[in-house]
Amino acid sequence: MNSEPFYKAALSYWEAQKREAIATLNLYFSNSVGIGEHSKILEEINTWTSKLSEAEENLSNLKKYFPGGDMNVD
């Protein structure tokens, strides 16, 4: 079975999660008009920062342990 499509799908998923977190954080930090009535802004920033960290860590681990989609890891 060729696992490369699954590897690429996993990378794509975590890359999309990373981009979503960055876009959301950019909105919170740069567009105060769009979030002016948001009462839990710091909580949201913390949530999206955690999502960004998770995505970065998962991307890093996939690339570290399965470079190029190689599934033969010791």
Side-chain angles (χ1 to χ4, degrees):
M1 179 176 150
N2 183 359
S3 297
E4 185 179 355
F6 290 107
Y7 177 75
K8 287 182 177 181
L11 289 177
S12 294
Y13 174 83
W14 289 112
E15 192 62 47
Q17 296 298 305
K18 176 182 170 181
R19 288 185 180 137
E20 180 182 13
I22 290 170
T24 303
L25 287 166
N26 276 329
L27 175 67
Y28 286 141
F29 291 133
S30 65
N31 189 357
S32 60
V33 173
I35 57 173
E37 295 182 14
H38 202 298
S39 62
K40 296 184 179 182
I41 184 76
L42 187 55
E43 189 176 309
E44 284 295 310
I45 289 171
N46 290 340
T47 296
W48 284 100
T49 300
S50 292
K51 290 180 181 190
L52 175 58
S53 296
E54 179 184 18
E56 290 254 328
E57 182 178 356
N58 289 337
L59 282 166
S60 176
N61 283 332
L62 284 170
K63 292 173 184 177
K64 177 180 178 181
Y65 292 106
F66 306 100
D70 181 14
M71 301 301 156
N72 298 320
V73 175
D74 298 323

